[in-house]
Amino acid sequence: MAEVRITGLHKRYGAFHAVRGIDLDIRDGEFTVLVGPSGCGKSTLLRTIAGLEESSEGTIEIGGEVVNDFRPRDRDVAMVFQDYALYPHMNVAKNIGFGLKARKMPKPEVDARVAEAARMLGITPLLGRFPRQLSGGQRQRVAIGRAIVRNPRIFLFDEPLSNLDAQLRDEMRGEIKRLHQDIATTMIYVTHDQIEAMTLADRIVLMRDGMIEQQGAPLDLFERPASTFVAGFLGSPRMSFLPGTLTLDGSAAAIRLSEALLPVAPGRSLNGAIDGQAVLLGLRPEHLTRAHAATPAQGTFRYDATIDLLQPTGSRSYATFRLAGAPVMAELQAHDVSRPGERLPIDINMNRASIFDAKTERAI
Amino acid sequence: MQPTATISRLKAAGAPPRLSGFAQWADRHFKWLLVAPAVLLILALSVYPLLFSLVVSFINYDFQVPGHAFVGLKNFERVVFDPVARWSLWLTAWLSGISVAIEFVLGLLVALTMVRSFPGRGVIMSILIVPLFISPVIVGQAWTLLLQRPFGPTNYILTQLLGQEVTIGWMTESPWLYFSLIIADVWQWTPFMFVILLAGLTAIPPNLYEAAELDGVNAWQAFWAITLPHLAPMMLLALTFRLLDAIRMFDTIFIMTGGGPGTRTYTASYYLYTVGFTQFHLSQATAGSWLFLIFTALVVMLLVRRLLKTEPV
Ligand SMILES: Nc1ncnc2c1ncn2[C@@H]1O[C@H](COP(=O)(O)OP(=O)(O)OP(=O)(O)O)[C@@H](O)[C@H]1O
Ligand SMILES: [Mg+2]
């Protein structure tokens, strides 16, 4: 149980600057997810916290103590790796207990702790098996067990579920979340999967090129992305971006997409954006629905769309059409549309639309 | 593309043409024609000599006794009851055992050191494996020059270091001559162990050590828990290869001691060579070779069976 404070952290591999200035405060017991595209420095940051990489600059504090010069074993953190990293010739019980044994804990207590961890993870029947006799999901449970028996101050996970198939991944995701609710220890979790990030995190730290692009509660990032990068990274299917111009007419603002004029929700702050500014209008599929009412509701823009691509998923159908030349995706009810080429009225909920500056790609 | 297009093209190729009787026969047996040269070569160069040697070991093939009479087990008897033969077998066993054991420990230590990257690693690595490329004859000669009285520098250096006169006959005095033979072998073959073990070490995922470090496992425990189980198959492989080579030890003996003094440094190979090619008791040497082959086969079988049993991790 400890908070983590990272200040001005840099990591260079020779000339390559992998982590460039990270400031991060993680509260005690918080579940933080580091997410971002491949190669953005997530693992490097995590490994630096663990002490497996030396930082080039900056400080790392765990529980109010600067740990830069501590060896990994003295930081009291546990890490779960993508490829499990189990001891191949030890059975599950020995694998889980080896860290305790190495730290000279008396055998009865080791056994008790191993049994407790196995019970929590539902692997008690596997205790006598060897890693090669286990499935991927079982191995990862053992790896997690090895971390929890030590009762560390912080848990670090580096893409623990990436080697598992989709169904098992969903299941394990739920278990990790439950584990966090049960033991309430600080956890830092690396993934490049935005669903994992959204579902697990108390706080998402979205990284890009070794820097933090945006951090905050999952819904904050989802609903108020700071840039097109964040908006595009979170949410599946992706947000659609439509290039247009901002028009300010007295108090009423709107976005012009060639012939169409989409009203900006009244009262929305525009942070000093000016008339005629080039913008990108960001629309998530769920902001576009099939129009049923005779007249559009307040703040919605109705558009007569010709569907040119249809992707049914069973519960929903994703329909793509062109709006002012750019493709937009709408999330419709399964039976709203039956085949491509169909024309139907779509309501665009402008109250929830995001607006970005076209040049800087930052949110307005 | 439509699937039917593919089907019709296949059909256009048609069924295989019907062949005449001879063509059918040739078609079926052509493969034998192709392997025949290789088979003949093996028969001529490997199977025939082997069978011939088996025959020779049961007949008189001694250049000093005329005729090729069948003598039963007499040739084998001579070898079994020759004290020099027994001594040479015993010497072969412990000389190769000790050499290989030392090479193994040294090779492992060097491999453990070299698995980390540090400046100058490449250069040191190249220097370390140089002995592997040198002919054993040259190695024996070089060590002879270094050790031999009175001109070799070894005694001189020892004298300087110990502060008292050292006059060891490194090639003539027991036990020093065994020491010399082992040194030459170790010098030449430690790199072999090192290279194989290093390859095994680099194949161990570094994550395992990182996880162990976070677990608070110390270096010694990590060696037992991670390195040893991962390296075991490679170790066994290196030991098997090396041991098989070491029990045929001949060239260094030939150069350094010539089997002497007397017959003190006769290894099995050297003994067989002497019996066959300096005393010209060819049938006795052949019988001895078969006996030695049986011993070797036993060792090989034990090692190889163990090697095949190691499970992948
Ligand atoms: N040991 C190293 N030496 C040199 N460069 C490295 C080293 N480790 C990582 N890098 C580089 O640092 C950058 C960040 O790597 P990192 O492993 O942190 O990415 P990541 O965000 O975890 O990506 P992924 O999602 O693919 O795991 C990458 O461009 C990588 O090439
Ligand atoms: Mg990574």
Side-chain angles (χ1 to χ4, degrees):
Chain A
M1 301 288 264
E3 67 282 345
V4 179
R5 165 168 298 176
I6 296 167
T7 17
L9 189 76
H10 288 259
K11 174 67 189 174
R12 294 183 189 85
Y13 292 109
F16 184 76
H17 206 160
V19 169
R20 358 180 167 192
I22 297 272
D23 294 294
L24 188 59
D25 267 316
I26 297 172
R27 283 192 312 275
D28 186 17
E30 198 172 27
F31 199 127
T32 305
V33 173
L34 304 177
V35 67
S38 190
C40 68
K42 310 179 291 288
S43 298
T44 306
L45 175 57
L46 195 75
R47 293 167 55 82
T48 316
I49 296 173
L52 298 173
E53 303 283 352
E54 230 174 291
S55 61
S56 310
E57 219 178 285
T59 57
I60 299 169
E61 285 171 55
I62 299 177
E65 193 176 21
V66 177
V67 296
N68 283 40
D69 297 329
F70 284 30
R71 297 169 64 188
R73 67 179 59 186
D74 299 326
R75 297 190 181 193
D76 198 10
V77 303
M79 184 154 165
V80 176
F81 294 85
Q82 180 177 348
D83 53 6
Y84 326 123
L86 300 176
Y87 304 111
H89 77 300
M90 290 187 199
N91 65 24
V92 169
K94 291 226 178 81
N95 257 290
I96 297 179
F98 193 58
L100 301 179
K101 203 177 131 202
R103 288 175 195 263
K104 306 244 157 44
M105 186 180 279
K107 183 150 184 352
E109 197 182 341
V110 173
D111 291 345
R113 285 223 205 171
V114 170
E116 168 65 10
R119 191 192 55 74
M120 279 176 77
L121 295 162
I123 51 173
T124 311
L126 307 178
L127 283 175
R129 293 218 207 151
F130 287 90
R132 63 173 176 280
Q133 301 167 320
L134 301 177
S135 72
Q138 291 168 335
R139 286 183 207 194
Q140 200 51 284
R141 268 174 239 251
V142 176
I144 293 172
R146 187 165 82 170
I148 57 182
V149 276
R150 283 192 25 224
N151 196 10
R153 291 192 291 179
I154 303 172
F155 282 99
L156 307 174
F157 295 87
D158 194 352
E159 306 202 20
L161 307 184
S162 297
N163 283 2
L164 309 180
D165 65 54
Q167 200 182 342
L168 199 56
R169 199 150 56 211
D170 289 352
E171 198 183 310
M172 289 293 291
R173 202 170 60 209
E175 283 190 31
I176 290 178
K177 182 118 191 181
R178 164 140 318 135
L179 183 73
H180 180 249
Q181 283 170 6
D182 288 349
I183 63 180
T185 306
T186 314
M187 291 188 180
I188 308 177
Y189 187 106
V190 164
T191 179
H192 57 245
D193 183 274
Q194 50 103 9
I195 308 252
E196 260 173 49
M198 290 295 296
T199 50
L200 287 173
D202 293 327
R203 182 207 328 221
I204 290 182
V205 176
L206 205 153
M207 293 180 61
R208 178 190 196 179
D209 296 337
M211 287 183 285
I212 296 179
E213 181 83 0
Q214 189 180 3
Q215 57 167 308
L219 281 182
D220 282 349
L221 262 69
F222 190 76
E223 288 168 357
R224 284 180 292 282
S227 63
T228 54
F229 180 80
V230 177
F233 194 86
L234 297 177
S236 168
R238 255 167 75 92
M239 180 184 269
S240 311
F241 297 103
L242 302 160
T245 35
L246 187 69
T247 58
L248 296 174
D249 183 12
S251 64
I255 292 171
R256 174 171 290 288
L257 310 169
S258 63
E259 79 276 16
L261 194 64
L262 283 69
V264 172
R268 187 190 196 283
S269 91
L270 289 170
N271 294 325
I274 52 166
D275 186 48
Q277 185 169 341
V279 294
L280 290 169
L281 175 64
L283 298 173
R284 292 199 185 276
E286 59 269 29
H287 300 162
L288 284 71
T289 50
R290 178 177 181 151
H292 289 292
T295 51
Q298 176 66 32
T300 50
F301 175 81
R302 182 161 293 179
Y303 183 74
D304 247 346
T306 308
I307 306 302
D308 55 31
L309 182 68
L310 191 60
Q311 301 177 66
T313 65
S315 57
R316 304 242 179 274
S317 286
Y318 292 101
T320 309
F321 62 91
R322 291 196 166 264
L323 173 54
V328 191
M329 188 183 274
E331 185 185 302
L332 306 179
Q333 300 295 322
H335 294 285
D336 278 350
V337 54
S338 51
R339 64 182 171 283
E342 224 171 285
R343 275 180 79 92
L344 72 162
I346 299 279
D347 274 350
I348 301 173
N349 185 349
M350 288 298 290
N351 293 329
R352 299 176 60 192
S354 303
I355 304 169
F356 304 93
D357 182 290
K359 234 190 279 84
T360 63
E361 304 201 331
R362 314 282 321 167
I364 293 175
Chain B
M1 199 210 275
Q2 286 172 347
T4 47
T6 331
I7 291 168
S8 60
R9 200 181 306 145
L10 270 181
K11 209 185 279 166
R18 295 191 71 80
L19 300 172
S20 69
F22 172 75
Q24 261 179 31
W25 181 90
D27 196 46
R28 209 169 311 139
H29 298 280
F30 189 58
K31 55 189 174 209
W32 298 116
L33 205 64
L34 291 179
V35 295
V39 170
L40 287 178
L41 212 64
I42 291 172
L43 284 176
L45 296 181
S46 166
V47 177
Y48 171 71
L50 211 62
L51 290 177
F52 181 69
S53 77
L54 197 60
V55 171
V56 164
S57 62
F58 286 100
I59 63 174
N60 170 40
Y61 212 86
D62 202 316
F63 285 2
Q64 293 154 27
V65 186
H68 292 329
F70 178 76
V71 293
L73 291 174
K74 193 126 206 152
N75 291 322
F76 293 94
E77 223 175 273
R78 281 210 198 106
V79 178
V80 173
F81 291 108
D82 184 351
V84 179
R86 290 197 218 164
W87 164 252
S88 73
L89 196 62
W90 168 239
L91 181 74
T92 307
W94 73 256
L95 211 55
S96 52
I98 291 181
S99 306
V100 171
I102 295 176
E103 285 155 22
F104 174 73
V105 173
L106 284 182
L108 182 61
L109 289 178
V110 179
L112 286 171
T113 319
M114 296 293 291
V115 75
R116 273 169 285 236
S117 69
F118 52 88
R121 179 168 176 267
V123 179
I124 296 178
M125 192 96 92
S126 324
I127 294 174
L128 277 177
I129 59 173
V130 161
L132 275 184
F133 302 120
I134 301 178
S135 153
V137 175
I138 307 294
V139 173
Q141 199 63 58
W143 280 100
T144 306
L145 287 174
L146 284 174
L147 295 168
Q148 201 167 42
R149 278 179 72 192
F151 303 114
T154 311
N155 279 341
Y156 173 75
I157 290 170
L158 284 178
T159 304
Q160 298 298 315
L161 284 177
L162 298 175
Q164 60 186 45
E165 182 79 4
V166 177
T167 54
I168 295 172
W170 290 97
M171 305 294 153
T172 50
E173 273 173 57
S174 185
W176 304 110
L177 75 177
Y178 302 118
F179 200 71
S180 311
L181 291 173
I182 291 174
I183 284 191
D185 200 70
V186 165
W187 185 84
Q188 174 148 43
W189 294 112
T190 298
F192 175 83
M193 288 284 187
F194 154 67
V195 168
I196 293 200
L197 295 178
L198 184 67
L201 281 178
T202 36
I204 303 178
N207 270 356
L208 287 178
Y209 293 102
E210 291 172 352
E213 164 67 25
L214 286 165
D215 259 356
V217 171
N218 65 35
W220 182 241
Q221 288 166 321
F223 177 80
W224 284 99
I226 301 170
T227 312
L228 209 57
H230 272 94
L231 206 55
M234 278 300 194
M235 288 175 165
L236 213 53
L237 184 78
L239 284 173
T240 307
F241 272 26
R242 229 357 253 140
L243 213 52
L244 284 184
D245 199 40
I247 54 180
R248 293 179 312 186
M249 190 189 297
F250 179 82
D251 6 30
T252 31
I253 305 274
F254 187 82
I255 296 294
M256 290 177 74
T257 65
T263 56
R264 297 304 297 166
T265 53
Y266 272 39
T267 55
S269 304
Y270 197 81
Y271 167 80
L272 295 171
Y273 159 79
T274 325
V275 172
F277 296 103
T278 60
Q279 302 168 5
F280 295 111
H281 302 311
L282 264 185
S283 43
Q284 188 188 335
T286 313
S289 302
W290 275 95
L291 289 178
F292 186 54
L293 180 69
I294 293 167
F295 276 116
T296 318
L298 283 178
V299 177
V300 173
M301 232 163 62
L302 287 176
L303 285 172
V304 171
R305 188 176 299 166
R306 190 72 197 74
L307 193 62
L308 293 179
K309 242 195 356 222
T310 53
E311 293 173 62
V313 285

